[in-house]
């Protein structure tokens, strides 16, 4: 079973930048072809989509629709925040 986590960044994010940050935390972390490993253990998969692509537009639209269905003040605050995103980072945690 896996869980998907999404992060919305207001700048362009790269796997190389994430990998460098993780290595500063623990040198055993590595990202290889989108797979996040620590030592020999597969922890998850990372995917980044950037604005201007169909994948980005579809993912953002789906997240906005989910928030709109909630219809709460907080959900609309989230919508305002994610509309300014330039990258969506999806991590499938194994």
């Amino acid at each position: 079973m896996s869980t998907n986590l999404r992060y919305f960044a207001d700048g362009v994010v790269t796997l190389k930048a994430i990998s460098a940050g993780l290595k500063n935390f623990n040198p055993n972390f590595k990202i290889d072809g989108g797979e996040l490993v620590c030592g020999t253990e597969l922890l998850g998969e990372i995917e980044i989509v950037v604005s201007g692509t169909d994948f980005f537009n579809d993912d953002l639209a789906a997240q906005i629709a989910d928030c709109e269905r909630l219809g709460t003040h907080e959900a609309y605050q989230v919508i305002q925040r994610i509309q300014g995103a330039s990258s969506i980072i999806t991590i499938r945690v194994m």
Side-chain angles (χ1 to χ4, degrees):
M1 185 172 165
S2 64
T3 300
N4 286 335
L5 303 171
R6 279 193 176 73
Y7 297 92
F8 296 84
D10 55 7
V12 175
V13 177
T14 65
L15 287 175
K16 185 176 180 178
I18 293 172
S19 181
L22 288 171
K23 282 188 180 290
N24 284 334
F25 176 73
N26 181 335
N28 292 319
F29 279 115
K30 179 174 77 170
I31 298 176
D32 185 18
E35 291 185 340
L36 173 62
V37 296
C38 186
T40 59
E41 183 178 359
L42 176 64
L43 301 176
E45 299 171 341
I46 299 177
E47 177 185 14
I48 300 173
V49 293
V50 295
S51 63
T53 65
D54 289 339
F55 290 121
F56 179 90
N57 295 334
D58 292 345
D59 200 1
L60 186 62
Q63 298 306 310
I64 289 171
D66 286 346
C67 288
E68 286 175 336
R69 278 192 285 281
L70 294 173
T72 65
H73 174 71
E74 292 81 6
Y76 286 105
Q77 287 179 317
V78 170
I79 291 170
Q80 288 178 342
R81 175 68 178 105
I82 67 175
Q83 285 177 328
S86 297
S87 300
I88 302 172
I89 302 98
T90 303
I91 303 171
R92 177 173 293 131
V93 180
M94 305 297 189

Coordinates of all heavy atoms in Angstrom, one line a residue:
M1 N 0.8 -1.2 0.0 CA 0.0 0.0 0.0 C 0.9 1.2 0.0 O 1.9 1.3 0.6 CB -0.9 0.0 1.2 CG -1.9 1.1 1.2 SD -3.0 0.8 2.6 CE -3.7 2.4 2.7
S2 N 0.5 2.3 -0.7 CA 1.2 3.5 -0.8 C 0.3 4.7 -0.5 O -0.9 4.6 -0.6 CB 1.9 3.6 -2.1 OG 0.9 3.7 -3.2
T3 N 0.9 5.8 -0.2 CA 0.3 7.1 0.0 C 0.9 8.1 -0.8 O 2.1 8.2 -1.0 CB 0.4 7.5 1.5 OG1 -0.2 6.5 2.3 CG2 -0.3 8.8 1.8
N4 N 0.1 8.9 -1.5 CA 0.6 10.0 -2.3 C 0.5 11.3 -1.5 O -0.5 11.7 -0.9 CB -0.3 10.2 -3.6 CG 0.0 9.2 -4.6 OD1 1.1 8.6 -4.6 ND2 -0.9 8.9 -5.4
L5 N 1.6 12.1 -1.5 CA 1.7 13.4 -0.9 C 2.0 14.4 -2.0 O 2.8 14.1 -2.9 CB 2.9 13.4 0.1 CG 2.8 12.4 1.2 CD1 4.1 12.5 2.0 CD2 1.6 12.8 2.1
R6 N 1.4 15.5 -2.0 CA 1.6 16.5 -3.0 C 2.1 17.8 -2.4 O 1.5 18.2 -1.4 CB 0.4 16.8 -3.8 CG 0.1 15.8 -4.9 CD -1.0 16.3 -5.9 NE -1.1 15.4 -6.9 CZ -1.7 14.2 -6.8 NH1 -2.2 13.8 -5.7 NH2 -1.8 13.4 -7.9
Y7 N 3.1 18.4 -3.0 CA 3.6 19.7 -2.5 C 3.5 20.6 -3.7 O 3.9 20.3 -4.8 CB 5.1 19.5 -2.1 CG 5.2 18.6 -0.9 CD1 5.5 17.3 -1.1 CD2 5.1 19.1 0.4 CE1 5.6 16.4 0.0 CE2 5.2 18.3 1.5 CZ 5.4 16.9 1.3 OH 5.6 16.1 2.4
F8 N 3.1 21.8 -3.4 CA 3.0 22.9 -4.5 C 4.0 23.9 -4.2 O 4.0 24.5 -3.1 CB 1.6 23.5 -4.4 CG 0.5 22.5 -4.7 CD1 0.0 21.6 -3.8 CD2 0.0 22.3 -6.0 CE1 -1.0 20.7 -4.1 CE2 -1.0 21.4 -6.3 CZ -1.5 20.6 -5.4
A9 N 4.9 24.1 -5.2 CA 6.0 25.1 -5.0 C 5.7 26.3 -5.9 O 5.3 26.2 -7.0 CB 7.3 24.4 -5.3
D10 N 6.1 27.5 -5.4 CA 5.9 28.7 -6.2 C 7.1 28.9 -7.1 O 7.2 29.9 -7.8 CB 5.6 29.9 -5.3 CG 6.6 30.2 -4.2 OD1 7.7 29.5 -4.2 OD2 6.4 31.1 -3.4
G11 N 8.1 28.0 -7.1 CA 9.2 28.1 -8.0 C 9.4 26.8 -8.7 O 8.7 25.8 -8.3
V12 N 10.3 26.7 -9.6 CA 10.6 25.5 -10.3 C 11.5 24.6 -9.4 O 12.5 25.1 -8.9 CB 11.3 25.7 -11.7 CG1 11.7 24.4 -12.4 CG2 10.3 26.5 -12.6
V13 N 11.1 23.4 -9.2 CA 11.8 22.4 -8.4 C 12.4 21.3 -9.3 O 11.7 20.9 -10.3 CB 10.9 21.9 -7.3 CG1 11.6 20.8 -6.5 CG2 10.4 23.0 -6.4
T14 N 13.6 20.8 -9.0 CA 14.2 19.7 -9.8 C 14.5 18.6 -8.8 O 14.7 18.7 -7.6 CB 15.5 20.2 -10.4 OG1 16.4 20.5 -9.4 CG2 15.2 21.4 -11.4
L15 N 14.5 17.4 -9.4 CA 15.0 16.2 -8.7 C 16.4 16.4 -8.2 O 16.7 15.9 -7.1 CB 14.9 14.9 -9.5 CG 13.5 14.4 -9.9 CD1 13.6 13.2 -10.8 CD2 12.8 14.0 -8.6
K16 N 17.2 17.0 -8.9 CA 18.6 17.3 -8.5 C 18.7 18.1 -7.2 O 19.4 17.8 -6.3 CB 19.4 18.0 -9.6 CG 20.8 18.1 -9.4 CD 21.6 18.8 -10.6 CE 23.0 18.9 -10.3 NZ 23.7 19.5 -11.4
A17 N 17.8 19.1 -7.2 CA 17.8 20.0 -6.0 C 17.3 19.2 -4.8 O 17.8 19.4 -3.6 CB 16.9 21.2 -6.2
I18 N 16.2 18.4 -5.0 CA 15.7 17.6 -3.9 C 16.7 16.6 -3.4 O 16.9 16.5 -2.2 CB 14.4 16.9 -4.3 CG1 13.3 17.9 -4.5 CG2 13.9 15.9 -3.2 CD1 12.0 17.3 -5.1
S19 N 17.4 16.0 -4.3 CA 18.4 15.0 -4.0 C 19.6 15.6 -3.2 O 20.0 15.1 -2.2 CB 19.0 14.4 -5.3 OG 20.0 13.4 -5.0
A20 N 20.0 16.8 -3.6 CA 21.1 17.5 -2.9 C 20.6 17.9 -1.4 O 21.4 17.7 -0.5 CB 21.5 18.8 -3.6
G21 N 19.4 18.3 -1.3 CA 18.9 18.6 0.1 C 18.8 17.4 0.9 O 19.1 17.4 2.1
L22 N 18.3 16.3 0.4 CA 18.3 15.0 1.1 C 19.6 14.5 1.5 O 19.8 14.0 2.6 CB 17.5 14.0 0.3 CG 16.0 14.2 0.2 CD1 15.4 13.1 -0.8 CD2 15.3 14.1 1.5
K23 N 20.6 14.6 0.6 CA 22.0 14.2 0.9 C 22.6 15.0 2.1 O 23.4 14.5 2.8 CB 22.9 14.3 -0.3 CG 22.6 13.1 -1.2 CD 23.6 13.1 -2.3 CE 23.4 11.9 -3.3 NZ 23.7 10.6 -2.7
N24 N 22.2 16.3 2.2 CA 22.7 17.1 3.3 C 22.1 16.6 4.6 O 22.8 16.7 5.6 CB 22.3 18.6 3.1 CG 23.1 19.3 2.1 OD1 24.3 18.9 1.9 ND2 22.6 20.3 1.5
F25 N 20.9 16.1 4.6 CA 20.3 15.5 5.8 C 20.9 14.1 6.1 O 21.1 13.8 7.2 CB 18.8 15.4 5.5 CG 18.0 14.8 6.6 CD1 17.8 15.4 7.8 CD2 17.5 13.5 6.5 CE1 17.1 14.8 8.8 CE2 16.8 12.9 7.5 CZ 16.6 13.6 8.7
N26 N 21.0 13.3 5.1 CA 21.5 11.9 5.2 C 22.2 11.5 3.9 O 21.5 11.4 2.9 CB 20.4 11.0 5.6 CG 20.8 9.6 5.8 OD1 21.8 9.1 5.3 ND2 20.0 8.8 6.6
P27 N 23.5 11.3 3.9 CA 24.2 11.0 2.7 C 23.7 9.6 2.1 O 24.1 9.3 0.9 CB 25.6 10.9 3.1 CG 25.7 11.0 4.5 CD 24.4 11.4 5.1
N28 N 23.0 8.8 2.8 CA 22.5 7.5 2.2 C 21.3 7.7 1.3 O 20.9 6.8 0.6 CB 22.2 6.6 3.3 CG 23.4 6.1 4.1 OD1 24.4 5.9 3.5 ND2 23.3 6.1 5.4
F29 N 20.6 8.9 1.3 CA 19.5 9.2 0.4 C 20.0 9.3 -1.0 O 21.0 9.9 -1.3 CB 18.7 10.4 0.8 CG 17.8 10.2 1.9 CD1 18.0 10.9 3.2 CD2 16.7 9.4 1.8 CE1 17.1 10.7 4.2 CE2 15.8 9.2 2.8 CZ 16.0 9.9 4.0
K30 N 19.2 8.8 -2.0 CA 19.5 9.0 -3.4 C 18.2 8.9 -4.2 O 17.3 8.2 -3.8 CB 20.5 7.8 -3.8 CG 20.8 7.8 -5.2 CD 21.9 6.7 -5.6 CE 21.2 5.4 -5.6 NZ 22.0 4.3 -6.2
I31 N 18.2 9.7 -5.2 CA 17.1 9.7 -6.1 C 17.7 9.2 -7.5 O 18.6 9.8 -8.0 CB 16.4 11.1 -6.3 CG1 15.8 11.5 -5.0 CG2 15.3 11.0 -7.4 CD1 15.2 12.9 -5.0
D32 N 17.1 8.1 -7.9 CA 17.6 7.5 -9.2 C 16.4 7.2 -10.1 O 15.5 6.4 -9.8 CB 18.3 6.2 -8.9 CG 18.9 5.5 -10.1 OD1 19.1 6.2 -11.1 OD2 19.3 4.3 -10.0
G33 N 16.3 8.0 -11.1 CA 15.2 7.8 -12.1 C 13.8 8.1 -11.4 O 12.8 7.5 -11.8
G34 N 13.8 8.9 -10.4 CA 12.5 9.2 -9.7 C 12.3 8.4 -8.5 O 11.4 8.6 -7.7
E35 N 13.1 7.3 -8.3 CA 12.9 6.4 -7.2 C 13.8 7.0 -6.0 O 15.0 7.3 -6.2 CB 13.4 5.0 -7.5 CG 12.4 4.3 -8.4 CD 12.8 2.9 -8.6 OE1 14.0 2.5 -8.4 OE2 11.9 2.1 -9.1
L36 N 13.1 7.2 -4.9 CA 13.8 7.6 -3.6 C 14.2 6.4 -2.8 O 13.4 5.6 -2.4 CB 12.8 8.5 -2.8 CG 13.3 8.9 -1.5 CD1 14.6 9.8 -1.6 CD2 12.3 9.7 -0.7
V37 N 15.5 6.3 -2.6 CA 16.1 5.2 -1.9 C 17.0 5.7 -0.7 O 17.5 6.8 -0.8 CB 16.9 4.2 -2.7 CG1 16.0 3.5 -3.8 CG2 18.0 4.9 -3.4
C38 N 17.0 4.9 0.3 CA 18.0 5.2 1.4 C 18.8 3.9 1.6 O 18.2 2.9 2.0 CB 17.2 5.6 2.7 SG 18.4 6.1 4.0
G39 N 20.0 4.0 1.2 CA 20.8 2.8 1.2 C 20.3 1.9 0.1 O 20.4 2.3 -1.1
T40 N 19.8 0.7 0.5 CA 19.2 -0.2 -0.5 C 17.7 -0.3 -0.5 O 17.1 -1.0 -1.2 CB 19.8 -1.6 -0.3 OG1 19.5 -2.1 1.0 CG2 21.3 -1.6 -0.6
E41 N 17.1 0.5 0.5 CA 15.6 0.4 0.7 C 14.9 1.5 -0.2 O 15.2 2.7 -0.1 CB 15.3 0.7 2.2 CG 13.9 0.5 2.5 CD 13.5 0.7 3.9 OE1 14.5 1.0 4.7 OE2 12.4 0.6 4.3
L42 N 14.0 1.0 -1.0 CA 13.1 1.9 -1.8 C 12.1 2.5 -0.8 O 11.3 1.8 -0.2 CB 12.4 1.1 -2.9 CG 11.4 1.9 -3.7 CD1 12.1 3.0 -4.5 CD2 10.7 0.9 -4.7
L43 N 12.1 3.8 -0.8 CA 11.1 4.5 0.1 C 9.9 5.1 -0.6 O 8.8 5.2 -0.1 CB 11.8 5.7 0.8 CG 13.0 5.3 1.7 CD1 13.7 6.6 2.2 CD2 12.7 4.4 2.8
G44 N 10.1 5.4 -1.9 CA 9.0 5.9 -2.7 C 9.4 6.4 -4.0 O 10.6 6.2 -4.5
E45 N 8.5 7.1 -4.7 CA 8.8 7.6 -6.0 C 8.4 9.1 -6.0 O 7.4 9.5 -5.4 CB 7.9 6.9 -7.1 CG 8.2 5.4 -7.2 CD 7.2 4.7 -8.1 OE1 6.1 5.2 -8.3 OE2 7.5 3.6 -8.5
I46 N 9.3 9.9 -6.7 CA 9.0 11.3 -6.8 C 8.8 11.7 -8.2 O 9.6 11.3 -9.1 CB 10.2 12.1 -6.2 CG1 10.5 11.7 -4.7 CG2 10.0 13.6 -6.3 CD1 11.7 12.4 -4.1
E47 N 7.8 12.5 -8.4 CA 7.5 13.0 -9.8 C 7.3 14.5 -9.6 O 6.6 15.0 -8.7 CB 6.2 12.4 -10.3 CG 5.8 12.9 -11.7 CD 4.5 12.4 -12.1 OE1 3.7 11.8 -11.3 OE2 4.2 12.6 -13.3
I48 N 7.9 15.3 -10.6 CA 7.7 16.7 -10.6 C 7.1 17.1 -11.9 O 7.6 16.7 -13.0 CB 9.1 17.4 -10.4 CG1 9.7 17.1 -9.1 CG2 8.9 19.0 -10.5 CD1 11.1 17.6 -8.9
V49 N 6.0 17.9 -11.9 CA 5.5 18.5 -13.1 C 5.5 20.0 -12.9 O 5.3 20.5 -11.8 CB 4.0 18.0 -13.4 CG1 4.0 16.5 -13.7 CG2 3.1 18.3 -12.2
V50 N 5.8 20.7 -14.0 CA 6.0 22.1 -14.0 C 4.9 22.8 -14.8 O 4.3 22.2 -15.7 CB 7.4 22.6 -14.5 CG1 8.5 22.1 -13.5 CG2 7.6 22.1 -15.9
S51 N 4.6 24.1 -14.4 CA 3.5 24.8 -15.1 C 3.8 24.9 -16.6 O 4.9 24.9 -17.0 CB 3.4 26.2 -14.5 OG 4.6 27.0 -14.7
G52 N 2.7 25.0 -17.3 CA 2.8 25.0 -18.8 C 2.7 23.7 -19.4 O 2.6 23.6 -20.6
T53 N 2.6 22.6 -18.6 CA 2.4 21.3 -19.2 C 1.0 20.8 -19.0 O 0.3 21.2 -18.0 CB 3.4 20.2 -18.6 OG1 3.1 20.1 -17.2 CG2 4.8 20.7 -18.7
D54 N 0.5 19.9 -19.8 CA -0.8 19.3 -19.6 C -1.0 18.6 -18.3 O -2.0 18.7 -17.6 CB -1.2 18.4 -20.8 CG -1.4 19.1 -22.1 OD1 -1.7 20.3 -22.1 OD2 -1.3 18.5 -23.1
F55 N 0.1 17.9 -17.9 CA 0.1 17.1 -16.6 C -0.1 18.1 -15.5 O -0.9 17.9 -14.5 CB 1.3 16.3 -16.4 CG 1.5 15.1 -17.3 CD1 2.5 15.0 -18.1 CD2 0.5 14.1 -17.3 CE1 2.7 13.9 -19.0 CE2 0.6 13.0 -18.2 CZ 1.7 12.9 -19.0
F56 N 0.6 19.2 -15.5 CA 0.5 20.2 -14.4 C -0.9 20.8 -14.4 O -1.6 20.9 -13.4 CB 1.5 21.4 -14.7 CG 1.4 22.5 -13.7 CD1 2.2 22.4 -12.5 CD2 0.6 23.6 -13.8 CE1 2.1 23.4 -11.6 CE2 0.5 24.6 -12.9 CZ 1.3 24.5 -11.7
N57 N -1.4 21.2 -15.6 CA -2.8 21.8 -15.6 C -3.8 20.8 -15.2 O -4.8 21.2 -14.4 CB -3.1 22.3 -17.1 CG -2.2 23.4 -17.5 OD1 -1.6 24.2 -16.7 ND2 -1.9 23.5 -18.8
D58 N -3.7 19.6 -15.5 CA -4.7 18.6 -15.1 C -4.7 18.3 -13.6 O -5.7 18.2 -13.0 CB -4.5 17.3 -15.9 CG -4.8 17.4 -17.4 OD1 -5.5 18.4 -17.8 OD2 -4.4 16.4 -18.1
D59 N -3.4 18.2 -13.1 CA -3.3 17.9 -11.7 C -3.8 19.1 -10.8 O -4.5 18.9 -9.9 CB -1.8 17.6 -11.3 CG -1.6 16.9 -10.0 OD1 -2.6 16.6 -9.4 OD2 -0.5 16.6 -9.7
L60 N -3.4 20.3 -11.3 CA -3.9 21.5 -10.5 C -5.4 21.6 -10.6 O -6.0 21.9 -9.5 CB -3.2 22.8 -11.1 CG -3.5 24.0 -10.4 CD1 -2.9 24.0 -8.9 CD2 -2.9 25.2 -11.1
A61 N -6.0 21.4 -11.7 CA -7.4 21.5 -11.8 C -8.1 20.4 -10.9 O -9.1 20.7 -10.3 CB -7.9 21.3 -13.3
A62 N -7.6 19.2 -10.9 CA -8.1 18.2 -10.0 C -8.0 18.6 -8.5 O -9.0 18.4 -7.8 CB -7.4 16.9 -10.2
Q63 N -6.9 19.2 -8.1 CA -6.8 19.6 -6.7 C -7.7 20.7 -6.4 O -8.3 20.8 -5.3 CB -5.3 20.0 -6.4 CG -4.3 18.9 -6.6 CD -4.7 17.6 -5.8 OE1 -4.9 17.7 -4.6 NE2 -4.6 16.5 -6.5
I64 N -7.9 21.7 -7.3 CA -8.8 22.8 -7.1 C -10.3 22.2 -7.0 O -11.0 22.7 -6.1 CB -8.7 23.8 -8.2 CG1 -7.3 24.6 -8.0 CG2 -9.8 24.8 -8.2 CD1 -6.9 25.5 -9.2
A65 N -10.6 21.3 -7.9 CA -12.0 20.7 -7.8 C -12.2 20.0 -6.5 O -13.3 20.1 -5.9 CB -12.2 19.8 -9.0
D66 N -11.2 19.3 -6.0 CA -11.4 18.6 -4.7 C -11.6 19.7 -3.6 O -12.5 19.5 -2.7 CB -10.1 17.8 -4.3 CG -10.0 16.5 -5.1 OD1 -11.0 16.1 -5.8 OD2 -8.9 15.9 -5.1
C67 N -10.9 20.8 -3.6 CA -11.1 21.8 -2.6 C -12.5 22.5 -2.8 O -13.1 22.8 -1.8 CB -10.0 22.9 -2.7 SG -8.4 22.3 -2.2
E68 N -12.9 22.7 -4.0 CA -14.2 23.4 -4.2 C -15.3 22.5 -3.7 O -16.3 23.0 -3.2 CB -14.4 23.7 -5.7 CG -13.5 24.8 -6.2 CD -13.6 25.0 -7.7 OE1 -13.9 24.1 -8.4 OE2 -13.4 26.2 -8.1
R69 N -15.2 21.2 -3.8 CA -16.2 20.3 -3.3 C -16.4 20.4 -1.8 O -17.4 20.3 -1.2 CB -15.9 18.8 -3.6 CG -16.3 18.5 -5.0 CD -16.3 17.0 -5.3 NE -15.0 16.5 -5.5 CZ -14.3 16.5 -6.6 NH1 -14.8 17.2 -7.6 NH2 -13.1 16.0 -6.7
L70 N -15.3 20.8 -1.1 CA -15.3 21.0 0.4 C -16.1 22.2 0.7 O -16.9 22.2 1.7 CB -13.9 21.0 1.0 CG -13.1 19.8 0.9 CD1 -11.7 20.0 1.4 CD2 -13.7 18.7 1.7
G71 N -15.9 23.3 -0.1 CA -16.7 24.5 0.1 C -16.4 25.3 1.3 O -17.2 26.1 1.7
T72 N -15.4 25.0 2.0 CA -15.1 25.7 3.3 C -14.2 26.9 3.0 O -13.5 27.0 1.9 CB -14.4 24.8 4.3 OG1 -13.1 24.5 3.8 CG2 -15.2 23.6 4.6
H73 N -14.2 27.8 3.9 CA -13.3 29.0 3.8 C -11.8 28.6 3.7 O -11.1 29.1 2.9 CB -13.5 29.9 5.1 CG -12.5 31.0 5.1 ND1 -12.6 32.1 4.3 CD2 -11.4 31.3 5.9 CE1 -11.6 33.0 4.5 NE2 -10.9 32.5 5.5
E74 N -11.4 27.6 4.5 CA -10.1 27.1 4.4 C -9.7 26.5 3.1 O -8.6 26.7 2.5 CB -9.8 26.0 5.5 CG -9.9 26.6 6.9 CD -11.3 26.8 7.5 OE1 -12.2 26.4 6.8 OE2 -11.4 27.3 8.6
A75 N -10.7 25.8 2.5 CA -10.5 25.2 1.2 C -10.2 26.3 0.1 O -9.4 26.1 -0.8 CB -11.7 24.3 0.8
Y76 N -11.0 27.4 0.2 CA -10.7 28.5 -0.8 C -9.4 29.2 -0.5 O -8.8 29.7 -1.5 CB -11.9 29.4 -0.7 CG -13.1 28.8 -1.4 CD1 -14.2 28.3 -0.7 CD2 -13.2 28.6 -2.8 CE1 -15.3 27.7 -1.3 CE2 -14.2 28.0 -3.4 CZ -15.3 27.6 -2.7 OH -16.4 27.0 -3.3
Q77 N -8.9 29.2 0.7 CA -7.6 29.7 1.0 C -6.5 28.8 0.3 O -5.6 29.3 -0.2 CB -7.3 29.8 2.5 CG -8.1 30.9 3.1 CD -7.9 31.0 4.6 OE1 -7.8 30.0 5.3 NE2 -7.7 32.2 5.1
V78 N -6.7 27.5 0.4 CA -5.8 26.6 -0.3 C -5.8 26.8 -1.8 O -4.8 26.9 -2.4 CB -6.2 25.1 0.1 CG1 -5.4 24.1 -0.8 CG2 -5.9 24.8 1.6
I79 N -7.0 27.0 -2.3 CA -7.1 27.2 -3.8 C -6.3 28.5 -4.2 O -5.5 28.4 -5.1 CB -8.6 27.4 -4.2 CG1 -9.3 26.0 -4.1 CG2 -8.7 27.9 -5.6 CD1 -10.8 26.1 -4.3
Q80 N -6.5 29.5 -3.4 CA -5.7 30.8 -3.7 C -4.2 30.5 -3.7 O -3.5 31.0 -4.5 CB -6.1 31.9 -2.7 CG -7.5 32.4 -3.0 CD -7.8 33.5 -1.9 OE1 -7.2 33.6 -0.9 NE2 -8.8 34.3 -2.3
R81 N -3.8 29.7 -2.7 CA -2.3 29.5 -2.6 C -1.8 28.6 -3.7 O -0.8 28.9 -4.3 CB -2.1 28.8 -1.2 CG -0.7 28.3 -1.0 CD 0.2 29.6 -0.8 NE 1.6 29.1 -0.5 CZ 2.6 29.1 -1.4 NH1 2.3 29.6 -2.6 NH2 3.8 28.7 -1.1
I82 N -2.5 27.5 -4.0 CA -2.0 26.6 -5.0 C -2.1 27.2 -6.5 O -1.4 26.7 -7.3 CB -2.6 25.2 -4.9 CG1 -4.0 25.1 -5.3 CG2 -2.3 24.6 -3.6 CD1 -4.6 23.7 -5.3
Q83 N -3.0 28.1 -6.7 CA -3.0 28.7 -8.0 C -1.8 29.5 -8.4 O -1.5 29.7 -9.6 CB -4.2 29.7 -8.1 CG -5.5 28.9 -8.2 CD -6.8 29.8 -8.2 OE1 -6.8 30.9 -7.6 NE2 -7.8 29.4 -8.9
G84 N -0.9 29.8 -7.4 CA 0.3 30.4 -7.7 C 1.5 29.5 -7.9 O 2.7 29.9 -8.0
A85 N 1.2 28.2 -7.9 CA 2.3 27.2 -8.0 C 2.9 27.2 -9.3 O 2.3 27.4 -10.4 CB 1.7 25.8 -7.6
S86 N 4.2 26.9 -9.3 CA 5.0 26.7 -10.6 C 5.4 25.2 -10.8 O 5.7 24.8 -11.9 CB 6.2 27.5 -10.6 OG 5.9 28.9 -10.6
S87 N 5.4 24.5 -9.7 CA 5.8 23.0 -9.7 C 4.8 22.3 -8.7 O 4.5 22.8 -7.7 CB 7.2 22.8 -9.2 OG 8.1 23.5 -10.0
I88 N 4.5 21.0 -9.1 CA 3.8 20.1 -8.2 C 4.7 18.9 -8.1 O 5.1 18.3 -9.0 CB 2.5 19.7 -8.8 CG1 1.6 20.9 -9.1 CG2 1.8 18.7 -7.8 CD1 0.3 20.6 -9.8
I89 N 5.1 18.7 -6.8 CA 5.9 17.5 -6.5 C 5.0 16.5 -5.9 O 4.4 16.7 -4.8 CB 7.0 17.9 -5.5 CG1 7.9 19.0 -6.1 CG2 7.9 16.7 -5.1 CD1 7.5 20.4 -5.6
T90 N 5.0 15.3 -6.5 CA 4.2 14.2 -6.0 C 5.1 13.1 -5.5 O 6.0 12.7 -6.2 CB 3.2 13.6 -7.0 OG1 2.4 14.7 -7.5 CG2 2.4 12.5 -6.4
I91 N 4.9 12.7 -4.2 CA 5.7 11.7 -3.6 C 4.8 10.5 -3.3 O 3.9 10.7 -2.5 CB 6.5 12.1 -2.4 CG1 7.3 13.3 -2.7 CG2 7.3 11.0 -1.8 CD1 8.0 14.0 -1.5
R92 N 5.1 9.4 -3.9 CA 4.3 8.1 -3.6 C 5.2 7.4 -2.6 O 6.2 6.8 -2.9 CB 4.1 7.3 -4.8 CG 3.4 6.0 -4.4 CD 3.0 5.2 -5.7 NE 2.0 5.9 -6.4 CZ 2.0 6.1 -7.7 NH1 3.0 5.7 -8.4 NH2 1.1 6.8 -8.3
V93 N 4.7 7.4 -1.3 CA 5.5 6.8 -0.2 C 5.1 5.3 -0.2 O 3.9 5.0 -0.1 CB 5.1 7.5 1.1 CG1 5.9 6.8 2.3 CG2 5.4 9.0 1.1
M94 N 6.1 4.4 -0.2 CA 5.8 3.0 -0.2 C 5.6 2.5 1.2 O 6.1 3.0 2.1 CB 7.0 2.3 -0.8 CG 7.3 2.7 -2.2 SD 5.9 2.4 -3.3 CE 6.7 2.8 -4.9

